Amino acid sequence: MSAAASASPTPTSQNPPDLPHEAPGTSGRKKASGTKGTPGGKGREPADRRSLRERLRQDRTLLLLCVPGILYFAVFFYLPLAGNSIAFQDYQPYLGFKGSPLVGWDNFKALLEQPEFWTAVWNTLKISAVQLILYFPAPIALALFLNSLISNKTRRLMQTVVYLPHFLSWVVVVGMFQQVFGGAGTVTSYLNDHGVHVGNIMNNPDTFIYLITSQSVWKDAGWGAIIFLAAMASIDTSLYESAAMDGAGWLRRMWHITLPGIRPVMIMLLILRLGDILSVGFEQILLQRDNVGRDASEVLDTYVYFHGVVDGDWGMSTAAGLMKGVIGFVMIVLANKFAHRLGEQGVYQ
């Protein structure tokens, strides 16, 4: 018994089994150090409690990169908002903002009494409706097609081909369509030679809406597909593999996996499109306005340009532009609330 007792370690020399071993000399440093908010803590502050000056100094490179974008929006978007006061004035350029007399709502009343304004509104709504039905699904369909390609080389080639028209100006695009669908265009001449008389498509007021919609699809569908391709890339590939093992074909995989996966992006872009529903392409329509006439091509953007810049009726044209902005803002708010009712995030919470 005495030998066994002497062989067993004493309680003071035995380390508790549940305590981790510490490196020599570290316990003293732990006691001396501390954090802000603890009694006696005078050590370094956590990273999330740094002062504003320290965070600005650390992120100064990223902030400098943001300066050009901030200046662009400030100069060309936010500062011009002060010019909306012209809508309530009988504005005269030589008198300026301060010298021009206030007329209240007279510009809006005169605007609503003009038949030309309602013609522009009606044409804008018709073009927006056709583009919403025909143009908005085009980038989605193109993204689905590109995403279904197996060969990476073929996919990259197709992406490059459909992206390039976005970088062409509307002057070039309209000129190309004139060479193809004009009175002496390639397609028009071919159809006329084979007994199909279509006339000059570029000068037909009845098909003008579909003409500018097809131009928008050809020019910007490839560029718009980038966002949807990025959304498709974030979908878990194991979902496709599981669906294929269960016998689902490509159509069912697209309907039950791909489209639900990109639905939040689709709804967000649809909301933004509804907010911009009264903007249907100023430069594109202005270049073709003389071909089809004012009755078929006059929209709100061209109405503001011709009555404000050309005719000098600054107050009434600014009132038209202000009404357009207010309607777009209301459309975004209503569409975003509707998205929340459907359980989607929308543009903002």
Side-chain angles (χ1 to χ4, degrees):
M1 293 293 292
S2 62
S6 60
S8 61
T10 59
T12 57
S13 63
Q14 184 178 4
N15 293 327
D18 55 343
L19 294 178
H21 295 281
E22 299 178 355
T26 58
S27 60
R29 288 198 301 268
K30 287 185 178 181
K31 292 180 181 179
S33 62
T35 57
K36 188 176 181 180
T38 58
K42 297 181 180 180
R44 296 178 59 186
E45 296 182 357
D48 57 347
R49 294 185 179 180
R50 294 171 300 165
S51 64
L52 178 60
R53 180 179 299 177
E54 292 177 355
R55 284 181 290 176
L56 292 177
R57 183 170 60 252
Q58 182 175 358
D59 299 334
R60 60 182 179 274
T61 303
L62 295 176
L63 294 175
L64 288 176
L65 291 175
C66 295
V67 168
I70 295 174
L71 291 178
Y72 169 76
F73 283 98
V75 173
F76 294 102
F77 287 89
Y78 293 107
L79 288 180
L81 290 177
N84 288 327
S85 60
I86 298 176
F88 305 95
Q89 293 178 323
D90 182 13
Y91 181 74
Q92 302 296 331
Y94 58 87
L95 295 178
F97 292 102
K98 295 182 179 180
S100 299
L102 292 173
V103 294
W105 298 94
D106 291 347
N107 289 326
F108 293 91
K109 294 178 181 178
L111 180 68
L112 297 177
E113 294 175 356
Q114 281 197 354
E116 297 178 357
F117 171 74
W118 293 109
T119 301
V121 171
W122 176 240
N123 290 336
T124 303
L125 293 177
K126 286 193 301 182
I127 295 174
S128 297
V130 172
Q131 290 185 352
L132 190 64
I133 297 173
L134 300 180
Y135 171 74
F136 184 78
I140 303 175
L142 182 59
L144 291 173
F145 168 73
L146 294 175
N147 190 59
S148 65
L149 297 177
I150 300 177
S151 175
N152 291 329
K153 292 183 179 180
T154 305
R155 184 184 304 174
R156 288 195 294 267
L157 177 61
M158 291 295 296
Q159 288 178 355
T160 303
V161 171
V162 298
Y163 290 170
L164 287 178
H166 173 76
F167 300 98
L168 300 177
S169 67
W170 277 115
V171 177
V172 177
V173 173
V174 173
M176 293 174 62
F177 269 74
Q178 182 68 37
Q179 294 298 321
V180 176
F181 298 105
T186 306
V187 174
T188 305
S189 300
Y190 177 82
L191 294 176
N192 291 332
D193 294 340
H194 289 77
V196 181
H197 300 282
V198 295
N200 192 342
I201 300 177
M202 300 294 293
N203 294 346
N204 190 352
D206 298 331
T207 59
F208 177 71
I209 296 178
Y210 304 100
L211 173 66
I212 62 176
T213 302
S214 62
Q215 292 172 352
S216 300
V217 171
W218 183 81
K219 185 177 186 295
D220 292 326
W223 183 259
I226 295 178
I227 300 177
F228 298 105
L229 286 173
M232 293 176 188
S234 64
I235 300 176
D236 191 0
T237 56
S238 62
L239 298 176
Y240 294 101
E241 297 173 357
S242 301
M245 292 178 63
D246 292 339
W250 69 271
L251 185 60
R252 285 189 174 273
R253 292 197 298 268
M254 179 192 69
W255 185 260
H256 295 287
I257 298 176
T258 306
L259 290 179
I262 64 175
R263 185 174 61 181
V265 178
M266 293 169 55
I267 292 178
M268 181 186 66
L269 293 180
L270 180 60
I271 293 173
L272 295 177
R273 177 59 188 147
L274 290 175
D276 204 29
I277 196 171
L278 298 181
S279 297
V280 291
F282 167 73
E283 184 180 359
Q284 177 191 10
I285 296 177
L286 182 64
L287 291 171
Q288 305 173 84
R289 185 173 183 266
D290 296 335
N291 295 338
V292 297
R294 186 178 62 183
D295 293 336
S297 63
E298 186 79 309
V299 294
L300 285 176
D301 290 335
T302 57
Y303 177 87
V304 171
Y305 171 75
F306 282 102
H307 284 74
V309 179
V310 177
D311 296 338
D313 195 350
W314 303 97
M316 189 177 298
S317 60
T318 306
L322 184 59
M323 290 179 61
K324 170 186 164 184
V326 172
I327 293 174
F329 174 75
V330 172
M331 291 292 293
I332 288 181
V333 173
L334 294 179
N336 197 73
K337 288 186 177 181
F338 184 72
H340 290 168
R341 290 182 177 272
L342 295 178
E344 298 294 337
Q345 181 178 358
V347 179
Y348 59 90
Q349 291 288 347

